[in-house]
Amino acid sequence: MTVRAHLLVRGRVQGVWYRGAMQAEARRLGVGGWTRNLSDGTVEAELEGEEAAVATLVAWAERGPSGARVDGVVRAVLVPAGVRDGFVIRG
C-alpha cells in the first residue's frame, strides 16, 4: 500500500548533513519526495512510498545522521499523490 507523510523535524538538524543523509536513505529505500530547511531551524519533508519503507524512513528521521540531535518529529498523514520518481533537496 502506498502512503504519504509530512514531517517537521526539530533539534540540531541544520548544518549537520541531515537533508543529504535523508535523501540517501530515501533513495536506498525507494521512497519519493523532498526535504528542505525552514527558517526556524527545522527540517521539513514529504515522503511517499510503500508503507513499510516510509515507516523505516520516519524511524530514521527520528534519529537522523550521527551529527544531528533530533528533539522531535511532528508527523501528518497525507493522501498519496503519486510522487515516487525520486527524492530531492529543496533549498
Side-chain angles (χ1 to χ4, degrees):
M1 178 198 313
T2 299
V3 298
R4 184 174 173 208
H6 178 266
L7 305 179
L8 287 174
V9 186
R10 295 185 326 272
R12 188 168 61 110
V13 292
Q14 290 189 13
V16 294
W17 196 247
Y18 190 97
R19 293 174 302 148
M22 177 180 266
Q23 180 184 48
E25 189 67 10
R27 288 178 174 173
R28 185 184 74 76
L29 294 167
V31 173
W34 55 266
T35 186
R36 67 180 173 184
N37 285 339
L38 297 179
S39 61
D40 66 358
T42 62
V43 168
E44 179 181 31
E46 283 196 11
L47 322 171
E48 185 164 330
E50 292 300 315
E51 186 173 15
V54 170
T56 299
L57 188 54
V58 170
W60 178 92
E62 292 171 344
R63 295 183 315 276
S66 62
R69 186 196 74 244
V70 177
D71 294 335
V73 176
V74 177
R75 178 180 172 200
V77 176
L78 304 173
V79 175
V83 181
R84 298 186 59 188
D85 291 341
F87 195 90
V88 298
I89 296 173
R90 296 181 176 173

